[in-house]
Amino acid sequence: MAYHSGYGAHGSKHRTRAAPDSPPLFDDTSGGYSSHPGGYPAPGADVAFSVNHLLGDPVANMAMAYGSSIASQGKDIVHKELHRFVSVNKLKYFFAVDTAYVAKKLGLLVFPYTHQNWKMQYSHDVPLPPRKDLNAPDLYIPTMAFITYVLLAGTALGIQKRFSPEVLGLCASTALVWVFMEVLALLLGLYLATVRSELSTFHLLAYSGYKYVGMILSVITGLLFGSDGYYVALAWTSSALMYFIVRSLRTAALGPDSMGGPAPGQRLQLYLTLGAAAFQPLIIYWLTFHLVR
Amino acid sequence: MAFTLYSLLQAALLCVNAIAVLHEERFLKNIGWGTDQGIGGFGEEPGIKSQLMNLIRSVRTVMRVPLIIVNSVTIVLLLLFG
């Protein structure tokens, strides 16, 4: 009884107290904008009106308009500078892929020994995009493989309880730096050997980026099957990648008219290709062995 | 060997400095890598040595002024931030 009366008293007290200042469970945005100053502007044509009404301060309005014009100008400047350094159309060529191409290319990277025709196809002296030509290099697979490698490195380190966010960033930048150095070395070698090929920087970046697929497979096998599985997968992916690189670079560097050039240039080019191929297993081992200890 | 992008920049800066320091008269001519000894005519394909000499000469010519700027900035930043 006392309990009930106490409860009743509490209830009445609560009720009288509740009316003025009970906190709303959700913001009521149906009618008044002035109730919640930062709140949701009405959709449609009322936005400008509501913005004016919200801030109610012409200086702030001008500042917002100025800021948005500055932002659009900045965007234009960024676009212009980007177009000066990176030809976006050439970059788009490398990302024109589809699912069938990606699947076949991944299969080719793992088992290139039965592929017969390695020449790239051209239509009126313009190389066909990767969608139509299996032998064309692309940048989609290397990019995705790099991101997957970074995530996988984080997972592997987490399994070994050695994870921290700095290590992840370090892993990512290390892998990226090695690829850049390899591309620079290849560019230097191609320049010194005066090979007249249509291998642009992006082609070399693509061919260097294919090693990430081998790294991912080695790390996954190492995580699933232990150290022995890691070495087996390392040997298999290294040899497949070496074969792939040698065949691709030999036909790609020769170009569409397959001139060949004088003898020393040819030999240098061969050494360059073999050197690039021999470098792959080393770098795959270097970048992954600390993950499968 | 854990690389950060900053260490790559540092290594590149040091390499370019090393190329820029090679003195034309005192050093390169003495080992036969001077720029007037290399150009072998327009006929045949240039060999590796002349390509390398061309590369050194062009790097030194192009990067002389930017190197001054980048070196100064690096020195100031290293003094300030260690």
Side-chain angles (χ1 to χ4, degrees):
Chain A
M1 287 280 224
Y3 196 60
H4 187 74
S5 66
Y7 181 71
H10 264 272
S12 61
K13 234 194 295 191
H14 189 77
R15 240 177 290 131
T16 51
R17 224 184 25 202
D21 55 349
S22 72
L25 289 173
F26 55 92
D27 291 326
D28 182 23
T29 57
S30 52
Y33 299 106
S34 50
S35 61
H36 194 196
Y40 319 90
D46 288 337
V47 172
F49 177 70
S50 69
V51 162
N52 280 332
H53 191 79
L54 272 181
L55 301 179
D57 183 10
V59 177
N61 283 341
M62 263 174 37
M64 260 186 55
Y66 185 61
S68 62
S69 80
I70 287 282
S72 62
Q73 269 182 18
K75 204 166 65 155
D76 289 337
I77 291 180
V78 163
H79 270 255
K80 209 164 50 138
E81 296 297 317
L82 196 63
H83 272 269
R84 261 204 340 196
F85 289 122
V86 168
S87 155
V88 184
N89 282 333
K90 258 176 42 163
L91 202 56
K92 275 193 202 166
Y93 161 79
F94 286 98
F95 285 98
V97 295
D98 60 346
T99 323
Y101 170 80
V102 170
K104 280 194 281 193
K105 192 81 178 191
L106 286 178
L108 196 64
L109 280 170
V110 171
F111 197 78
Y113 306 107
T114 54
H115 191 69
Q116 302 298 334
N117 180 26
W118 291 86
K119 283 190 77 63
M120 285 173 46
Q121 296 155 19
Y122 292 88
S123 74
H124 319 294
D125 247 4
V126 167
L128 282 179
R131 220 178 268 139
K132 302 195 181 64
D133 176 22
L134 182 61
N135 294 322
D138 71 315
L139 278 176
Y140 173 81
I141 291 181
T143 316
M144 293 294 141
F146 173 67
I147 297 177
T148 311
Y149 163 73
V150 171
L151 294 174
L152 202 58
T155 316
L157 287 176
I159 290 181
Q160 299 171 14
K161 306 212 180 358
R162 286 191 290 147
F163 179 78
S164 77
E166 295 94 27
V167 175
L168 202 64
L170 203 61
C171 215
S173 63
T174 306
L176 210 57
V177 161
W178 275 112
V179 160
F180 280 159
M181 291 211 302
E182 184 184 350
V183 169
L184 282 178
L186 275 177
L187 276 176
L188 186 69
L190 280 179
Y191 172 77
L192 287 182
T194 66
V195 173
R196 307 233 184 304
S197 68
E198 39 82 31
L199 281 180
S200 77
T201 316
F202 289 131
H203 282 90
L204 292 178
L205 195 59
Y207 283 122
S208 300
Y210 282 140
K211 70 164 75 66
Y212 287 127
V213 180
M215 285 202 277
I216 292 172
L217 287 174
S218 307
V219 172
I220 288 184
T221 325
L223 285 178
L224 288 176
F225 297 116
S227 202
D228 302 329
Y230 168 68
Y231 285 117
V232 165
L234 181 67
W236 176 270
T237 53
S238 308
S239 59
L241 199 63
M242 285 203 293
Y243 186 81
F244 177 83
I245 293 250
V246 166
R247 290 300 296 263
S248 306
L249 281 187
R250 295 230 22 210
T251 48
L254 285 181
D257 37 0
S258 81
M259 254 175 35
Q266 271 282 60
R267 244 184 4 172
L268 272 170
Q269 192 183 327
L270 186 61
Y271 286 154
L272 200 64
T273 316
L274 288 179
F279 181 66
Q280 309 290 330
L282 296 177
I283 194 65
I284 294 181
Y285 177 71
W286 186 269
L287 284 175
T288 50
F289 80 99
H290 63 97
L291 297 174
V292 247
R293 238 183 276 160
Chain B
M1 259 196 289
F3 286 129
T4 55
L5 282 179
Y6 170 68
S7 65
L8 181 69
L9 287 177
Q10 217 179 7
L13 186 64
L14 286 176
C15 281
V16 178
N17 271 332
I19 295 184
V21 170
L22 299 171
H23 196 276
E24 183 65 46
E25 287 176 5
R26 293 184 207 146
F27 177 65
L28 292 178
K29 281 212 173 60
N30 288 342
I31 63 171
W33 276 27
T35 55
D36 50 353
Q37 304 160 344
I39 325 278
F42 296 104
E44 289 303 314
E45 296 265 339
I48 288 193
K49 189 171 155 190
S50 64
Q51 285 288 97
L52 206 54
M53 291 194 294
N54 267 336
L55 184 64
I56 291 179
R57 181 170 56 116
S58 36
V59 166
R60 291 182 66 229
T61 318
V62 166
M63 298 297 286
R64 191 155 289 182
V65 171
L67 260 187
I68 298 176
I69 302 174
V70 175
N71 274 332
S72 315
V73 168
T74 312
I75 288 173
V76 168
L77 284 179
L78 279 180
L79 280 178
L80 286 178
F81 299 117

